[in-house]
Amino acid sequence: MFPLRSTTIRTTFVNASRKVVSDITLPPGFDELDWARLDYLGWIDPKMKRRSYVVVPVDGQPVGIVLRQADASPRRRAQCSWCRDVKLPNEVVLYSAQRAGAAGRNGDTVGILIGEAFQCSVNVRKLPSMAYIGYDVAAARDDRIAMLRIRSAGFVGEVIRPGD
């Protein structure tokens, strides 16, 4: 992911009012982020625990989405929809995102299961175990990184797309 400034991040949100954008609290350690090892930026608002944010590169442009964590949690250990890691270091939770534009103002939302701490970029960079002799673990890791980028951008596309 390309480096972003705090002022740039605030202009990227497509499903938030000006008031919500002005209330955004950036993640702790924002100035020390290793942007080269991130496929998207995601964080929980430290002031509003059920509100989270993701900024995902889509077609070379950052797009921000405000997420709301559901009150209920999955009954069983769920799999993250983005990294699809089966050995997650944290719980997977259900987030909803209000759609952009008129659909969102009318209450239309999109839901997704994501790791609570937004560690997908770390998870996909772990070398997978050797599945068989000759298995190319580096290529498998590269595929996981590419798929994370595709899935996260696809979710942003669902939020931006007008409601059905």
Side-chain angles (χ1 to χ4, degrees), residues 88-160:
L88 289 173
N90 53 36
E91 292 299 316
V92 172
V93 296
L94 176 64
Y95 285 104
S96 64
Q98 181 178 335
R99 283 195 192 264
R105 287 189 295 276
N106 290 332
D108 196 2
T109 60
V110 180
I112 191 155
L113 293 166
I114 307 176
E116 186 175 35
F118 299 101
Q119 290 183 304
C120 295
S121 293
V122 172
N123 298 340
V124 298
R125 282 173 171 70
K126 294 178 202 164
L127 283 176
S129 58
M130 180 74 78
Y132 52 84
I133 295 173
Y135 182 67
D136 189 345
V137 293
R141 177 183 53 203
D142 292 344
D143 286 346
R144 292 181 65 193
I145 292 169
M147 291 309 296
L148 168 59
R149 292 174 181 170
I150 290 168
R151 288 184 194 113
S152 58
F155 177 72
V156 170
E158 287 295 313
V159 172
I160 293 171

Side-chain angles (χ1 to χ4, degrees), residues 26-49:
L26 293 175
F30 176 77
D31 295 326
E32 291 85 38
L33 286 174
D34 184 359
W35 293 96
R37 298 191 56 80
L38 290 177
D39 301 291
Y40 69 89
L41 175 63
W43 74 98
I44 299 169
D45 191 313
K47 293 181 182 175
M48 298 177 213
K49 296 299 181 194

Side-chain angles (χ1 to χ4, degrees), residues 43-63:
W43 74 98
I44 299 169
D45 191 313
K47 293 181 182 175
M48 298 177 213
K49 296 299 181 194
R50 292 235 179 258
R51 185 184 292 172
S52 297
Y53 312 98
V54 292
V55 179
V56 179
V58 178
D59 297 328
Q61 296 296 319
V63 180

